[in-house]
Amino acid sequence: MGALAYYGFTIAIYTCLSAIQALGFNLQFGFAGIINLAYVVLVAVGAYSTAIAAVAPAPHGGLTQYIGGFGWPFPWDMLFGIFCTLAFSAVLGGLAFKRLREDYLAVSMIVVGAGLLVLINDDVPIFNGTSGMAGVPGPFQDQLGPEAYQFVFLMMSAVSALLIFLLFSRITKSPFGRALKAVREDSDAAASLGKSPWRLKMSAFLLGGLAAGLSGSLLILYIGAWNTSAWLPQESLIVLAAIIVGGRGNHGGAVLGTFVVIGVITQATKFIPSFGNAVLVASLQVVSIGLLILAFMWWRPQGLLPELKDQYLRVGIKKELSDSGPALPRAVD
Amino acid sequence: MNEFLLLVEVGIIDGAFLAISAVGFSMQFGVTNYVNFAYASFITFGAYCAYLLDSGPLHANFLVDLVGAAIGTAALSFLIGSFVYTPFARRRPQLLFGLVLTFCMWLILDNLLLGIFGYDYRELTYTSGSASNIGQFGPFQMSPIEGVFLLVAVVTLGSVHGLLRYTRLGRSMRAMSDDHSLALVCGLNTKRIVRLTWIITGVLGGVAGFVQANQLRAFDPGIGDTYIYLVIAAVIVGGIGRPYGAALGALIIGIVSELSVPIIGAALSPVAIFGVLICLMLFRPAGLFGSTGRSQFENA
């Protein structure tokens, strides 16, 4: 397989997995209004737990040290990864949503993310410190040829992304989705109508966690390795950019935003001349994504595909108007 | 027992150093209502200002480094605050945009610094020989350079206390963090106070970066990012927007993380801090001095 085809497969798979993350983040951030700027931590939980389920136990007294090492075959390591992410999200959400106000919540998530980063970095025996997990076997990698493997993995990622897209679209169209938006707009008003903000936010957080776990576990199965540099705070910037560019509260927007952001990342490198030190290009990529977010927030905060206004309300009123004549008060607007 | 006392002493020193930036972060949030994640970059910037003065052709002395870090970071803080955050807050007053904005600014500034300085480890000159002549005072130990930095921390925190307690500006700042609209109605020049707050908290960030650069001995552009979680943890413990709470929170965080070392090991000390935060979330979610209630952001 040519290098270009391999590059194409990598970009395509990476785009699918980022789209899954963007959809999950959008459910939390766009629909439920949870300002979770450490979303990538959930992805990391999925990746690490998949890794320790998939690989063999760490050799005793060796340089690599990690917990677990169950050596489970493909679907089980992924499912374990997703399960761990859900459990982690449940604990985090259970602690945070009950009593924290919005800005405290955002700050606490950042602290949890940064603290975990320090913890995993310093403490070798958990997930092998800064070197991280490596040698995670991909699904059926030994049974397929290299080209077939790339193709199968791309199909798997694309189908996962599609399933998440359909699932989330269905969920947000349901009464549950409307309740989520109500909580986002005014949680007191929603609570006064009998909707529990805590339960709704928690559900959205768990669904977002599901997407993060799925994406993280597919990521590590594809890359085969994962360390702390894969989930620095700036990795959250990519999903954040996808949502701000694409449009908050719109699943199509999340996917479109992912394409734009991946496009910017891959294309921007061609225009940044390689001078100065080795990390300059990588850091300028992050800077350009940050500026992209700022530009969109300044000029087009609703994103490329704005959130759709729910149509059912207007249809209902029109119908009622035609039924009962013009006597209906104008207040419903 | 002696070991315990020594750990408490180290914890108090760590807490005093941490308090500089925690007070700055908290004060700035109280007055401007911005949760400024970019404060991490301010700390890094302060460290590199001091490094440039210290190591470059200048070979400046300690005091010049300190003042340079403070002034440089104050300038950065003022520029970001007045020319990025304030226009944004006027145009997009929602809390969500404010948080996303400071998060982006954090990563933009961080990566600019990383692009300029790279991942190489840097060191301040007076740090190198400091481990040698450590003074012993009963169970306590302290190296001379550590004593100097402790003096810096105490003087800085003391001046902040003096500012908040005894000056008109400090009173106005406290009034603004209690109630923004009321302060405005009472005829305070809130714009001027906000500008001065950016400068003062920038000074604190710069000094904190300088102190932390010395504490770490060798540092890279990640210095602020790994430090900010301790800073924010201290701020959360004290209640966001409460400078005195932040100082107390910093002491608690410093002592807890030092005391946890013999029990669970140095590498696991974040676990102890998570423990403190979890207890706080369960029993006092607004922090020790904080008030529950809504974010004031949209009034800003």
Side-chain angles (χ1 to χ4, degrees):
Chain A
M1 185 166 52
L4 195 65
Y6 184 76
Y7 179 71
F9 271 116
T10 309
I11 294 288
I13 290 169
Y14 189 64
T15 309
C16 288
L17 299 183
S18 299
I20 298 178
Q21 286 177 28
L23 287 165
F25 181 64
N26 196 15
L27 202 69
Q28 294 184 351
F29 179 81
F31 284 91
I34 305 164
I35 309 175
N36 175 12
L37 296 173
Y39 186 76
V40 75
V41 172
L42 300 179
V43 177
V45 171
Y48 275 127
S49 45
T50 304
I52 60 164
V55 295
H60 195 70
L63 280 176
T64 53
Q65 292 177 336
Y66 44 85
I67 54 171
F70 309 136
W72 288 347
F74 163 60
W76 303 111
D77 50 8
M78 189 175 88
L79 291 178
F80 180 75
I82 294 174
F83 171 78
C84 285
T85 317
L86 286 177
F88 181 80
S89 313
V91 172
L92 197 59
L95 282 171
F97 294 137
K98 200 77 180 174
R99 319 182 49 180
L100 293 184
R101 61 185 224 202
E102 282 169 332
D103 43 356
Y104 277 37
L105 183 76
V107 172
S108 310
M109 295 284 183
I110 293 277
V111 170
V112 169
L116 282 178
L117 205 59
V118 172
L119 178 67
I120 305 291
N121 248 339
D122 288 356
D123 201 54
V124 172
I126 303 181
F127 296 125
N128 202 21
T130 27
S131 331
M133 307 295 294
V136 181
F140 318 118
Q141 197 168 10
D142 41 356
Q143 293 154 35
L144 299 166
E147 282 148 51
Y149 174 67
Q150 296 287 335
F151 184 73
V152 166
F153 206 100
L154 176 59
M155 284 301 115
M156 219 163 72
S157 317
V159 168
S160 308
L162 189 67
L163 283 180
I164 290 283
F165 181 83
L166 293 176
L167 174 72
F168 285 3
S169 307
R170 182 73 198 84
I171 286 173
T172 48
K173 265 188 210 123
S174 69
F176 171 79
R178 294 197 292 273
L180 269 187
K181 287 185 187 175
V183 167
R184 177 192 67 188
E185 295 302 328
D186 190 338
S187 66
D188 290 343
S192 75
L193 294 172
K195 301 289 176 197
S196 157
W198 184 77
R199 193 179 293 174
L200 285 161
K201 282 196 170 180
M202 192 69 186
S203 318
F205 195 65
L206 285 178
L207 284 167
L210 170 78
L214 176 65
S215 161
S217 97
L218 285 174
L219 257 179
I220 194 167
L221 289 176
Y222 183 65
I223 308 170
W226 188 267
N227 65 10
T228 37
S229 67
W231 51 291
L232 296 172
Q234 65 200 44
E235 301 297 322
S236 297
L237 202 65
I238 294 171
V239 275
L240 183 64
I243 299 305
I244 299 283
V245 170
R248 280 170 298 132
N250 186 326
H251 299 298
V255 176
L256 177 70
T258 311
F259 281 112
V260 172
V261 170
I262 300 274
V264 167
I265 294 177
T266 51
Q267 294 304 311
T269 41
K270 291 181 184 165
F271 299 106
I272 300 173
S274 53
F275 59 92
N277 61 55
V279 289
L280 187 71
V281 172
S283 54
L284 286 184
Q285 273 180 357
V286 180
V287 172
S288 60
I289 292 181
L291 292 177
L292 185 72
I293 297 181
L294 296 193
F296 264 86
M297 286 202 306
W298 186 262
W299 283 294
R300 198 173 162 82
Q302 71 273 40
L304 293 174
L305 297 179
E307 180 176 351
L308 299 167
K309 285 270 182 295
D310 290 324
Q311 295 294 320
Y312 50 88
L313 187 66
R314 212 179 299 155
V315 173
I317 290 168
K318 262 186 202 155
K319 193 156 176 261
E320 226 168 294
L321 275 174
S322 56
D323 286 351
S324 58
L328 207 74
R330 270 170 39 106
V332 195
D333 196 5
Chain B
M1 190 62 203
N2 274 1
E3 195 202 7
F4 175 79
L5 284 177
L6 181 62
L7 284 173
V8 170
E9 184 228 349
V10 176
I12 290 174
I13 294 176
D14 282 356
F17 292 159
L18 183 61
I20 304 171
S21 44
V23 166
F25 185 98
S26 208
M27 206 157 97
Q28 180 261 316
F29 175 83
V31 176
T32 63
N33 281 314
Y34 256 110
V35 177
N36 184 15
F37 294 120
Y39 209 72
S41 310
F42 293 0
I43 292 172
T44 314
F45 190 77
Y48 274 91
C49 280
Y51 166 76
L52 286 179
L53 287 172
D54 182 48
S55 70
L58 290 166
H59 278 299
N61 63 16
F62 180 89
L63 213 57
V64 176
D65 292 353
L66 177 68
V67 173
I71 292 178
T73 315
L76 178 76
S77 170
F78 173 73
L79 291 176
I80 299 274
S82 317
F83 296 107
V84 182
Y85 289 175
T86 309
F88 243 101
R90 209 174 295 138
R91 193 170 160 112
R92 307 269 174 241
Q94 297 91 331
L95 173 71
L96 170 125
F97 289 118
L99 288 168
V100 172
L101 170 67
T102 61
F103 184 69
C104 286
M105 280 316 292
W106 170 26
L107 296 171
I108 289 175
L109 290 175
D110 239 31
N111 279 283
L112 285 176
L113 286 170
L114 181 62
I116 295 167
F117 293 104
Y119 273 121
D120 306 329
Y121 279 99
R122 318 280 172 153
E123 204 172 325
L124 300 175
T125 45
Y126 21 79
T127 313
S128 37
S130 65
S132 47
N133 41 11
I134 292 175
Q136 187 86 29
F137 312 97
F140 305 119
Q141 296 173 353
M142 190 183 285
S143 65
I145 190 75
E146 209 169 23
V148 173
F149 274 99
L150 193 61
L151 188 69
V152 168
V154 169
V155 168
T156 313
L157 293 172
S159 350
V160 172
H161 169 71
L163 173 87
L164 285 176
R165 199 52 49 185
Y166 302 112
T167 66
R168 200 182 153 76
L169 173 67
R171 269 209 304 281
S172 320
M173 283 166 78
R174 281 188 289 140
M176 271 186 76
S177 56
D178 278 344
D179 193 325
H180 223 272
S181 325
L182 191 60
L184 190 65
V185 168
C186 290
L188 290 182
N189 185 350
T190 53
K191 280 182 188 161
R192 180 174 152 270
I193 296 165
V194 164
R195 278 201 297 272
L196 286 171
T197 305
W198 284 115
I199 293 176
I200 293 165
T201 56
V203 167
L204 292 175
V207 173
F210 179 47
V211 172
Q212 178 65 6
N214 181 68
Q215 279 287 95
L216 283 184
R217 294 174 188 283
F219 62 97
D220 67 356
I223 177 173
D225 298 353
T226 44
Y227 199 46
I228 195 72
Y229 99 95
L230 286 176
V231 175
I232 301 185
V235 170
I236 292 177
V237 169
I240 304 184
R242 307 280 156 167
Y244 290 97
L248 183 66
L251 274 184
I252 293 174
I253 293 286
I255 293 174
V256 165
S257 60
E258 281 303 327
L259 286 184
S260 71
V261 168
I263 305 168
I264 54 177
L268 280 176
S269 72
V271 173
I273 291 161
F274 284 144
V276 173
L277 288 179
I278 288 171
C279 290
L280 203 77
M281 277 187 196
L282 291 176
F283 302 114
R284 229 185 134 72
L288 296 176
F289 289 80
S291 58
T292 43
R294 298 207 161 275
S295 158
Q296 279 194 28
F297 188 83
E298 281 162 47
N299 309 330

